[in-house]
Amino acid sequence: MPEISIVIPCRNEAANLPLLLDEIGAAMAGRDFEVIVVDDGSTDDTASVLAGQAALCPFPLRHLRHEKSAGQSLSVRSGAWAARGNIVATIDGDGQNDPQYIPVLVDALRQAGPRFGVAQGERLKRRDSKIKQLASRFANWLRKAILHDETRDTGCGLKAIHTDILRKLPFFDGTHRFVPALVIQEGYRVVHCDVVDRSRRHGKSNYGIFDRGLQGVLDLAGVWWLRRRRRRMPKTEEIRHG
């Protein structure tokens, strides 16, 4: 069984996947891992590209497909429940996340100890448009002010999280932007790692700025309510007598 499951949620990223998979193989050389590509209802050549890559990759490459698009967070959920590794590392399929940071996040999580549930990447030198950067900064400021999740950038796709903890989290369309807050709710802490963003090589983003703005506010309100109404999960141990 692999130690690490790398989950790549993607939709219509056929042109970006071959190079990304090559980079993952180089970054993870010498480690025991698998890659799970969650094809979120793609309408391009993703299936044929992955079929070709599966024959070439020196590591296990698995292809999960959603019949229709369900969004990034539910794609991560599908990957989490299929994962065979003890740690799930997530990375976006558009190539903007650099795979060299996957082992950095995994090692940071392991070294942090059992009190830590997730290693969260925080982007430096953002390559997005100025308006997208400003929108992201405002969203992160608002989220941090309300949820106190100790994280300046939760939208970064690079994360490493213990598989059993990830499976406990509530999943909705937007969970991936609130992972630190939800992990804290489970009684764990967050370790942060700076990562350097890259430009997208091919295609265009499947997510806009204004079409997700209102939904993001509603999600934030929902997570705030969840944290207010749900007690932090107690640590439980069985005491044996006799």
Side-chain angles (χ1 to χ4, degrees), residues 89-117:
T90 64
I91 183 170
D92 291 346
D94 59 10
Q96 285 192 260
N97 298 153
D98 192 332
Q100 70 172 313
Y101 294 105
I102 295 176
V104 173
L105 289 163
V106 170
D107 291 345
L109 180 60
R110 285 174 169 165
Q111 293 166 11
R115 295 178 60 195
F116 288 77

Side-chain angles (χ1 to χ4, degrees), residues 24-229:
I24 289 173
M28 298 295 290
R31 296 179 184 246
D32 186 11
F33 71 101
E34 65 177 355
V35 173
I36 304 172
V37 177
V38 183
D39 173 5
D40 188 33
S42 295
T43 57
D44 64 358
D45 295 329
T46 292
S48 58
V49 166
L50 289 176
Q53 289 295 308
L56 299 174
C57 287
F59 50 82
L61 174 61
R62 301 167 62 191
H63 177 193
L64 303 184
R65 176 171 170 78
H66 289 168
E67 182 180 4
K68 59 182 180 180
S69 179
Q72 184 172 351
S73 293
L74 294 179
S75 297
V76 171
R77 178 185 185 276
S78 295
W81 282 101
R84 296 178 296 186
N86 294 322
I87 292 177
V88 168
T90 64
I91 183 170
D92 291 346
D94 59 10
Q96 285 192 260
N97 298 153
D98 192 332
Q100 70 172 313
Y101 294 105
I102 295 176
V104 173
L105 289 163
V106 170
D107 291 345
L109 180 60
R110 285 174 169 165
Q111 293 166 11
R115 295 178 60 195
F116 288 77
V118 61
Q120 170 69 55
E122 295 187 312
R123 290 167 290 187
L124 301 173
K125 301 178 181 179
R126 294 285 299 274
R127 300 289 182 167
D128 295 318
S129 66
K130 285 296 182 183
I131 189 170
K132 195 170 183 179
Q133 289 183 44
L134 290 172
S136 180
R137 286 175 188 170
F138 174 75
N140 279 310
W141 172 83
L142 182 63
R143 186 212 67 258
K144 188 176 180 180
I146 293 175
L147 299 182
H148 306 289
D149 58 7
E150 307 171 4
T151 305
R152 73 167 189 266
D153 176 22
T154 62
C156 179
L158 282 163
K159 297 175 176 67
I161 181 170
H162 294 292
T163 305
D164 59 336
I165 296 175
L166 180 57
R167 290 174 177 171
K168 293 177 184 178
L169 303 185
F171 279 93
F172 50 88
D173 189 10
T175 297
H176 64 284
R177 293 190 289 270
F178 299 98
V179 167
L182 295 170
V183 166
I184 291 170
Q185 179 66 36
E186 293 293 329
Y188 298 93
R189 297 182 63 186
V190 182
V191 61
H192 301 94
C193 299
D194 288 337
V195 302
V196 177
D197 208 23
R198 307 190 295 190
S199 298
R200 168 184 277 273
R201 296 187 182 95
H202 304 284
K204 61 181 181 179
S205 175
N206 291 297
Y207 306 99
I209 300 171
F210 300 108
D211 59 351
R212 66 183 177 184
L214 177 59
Q215 185 62 53
V217 172
L218 294 174
D219 291 343
L220 177 57
V223 174
W224 174 84
W225 178 88
L226 179 65
R227 295 193 68 186
R228 292 272 296 181
R229 297 300 298 168

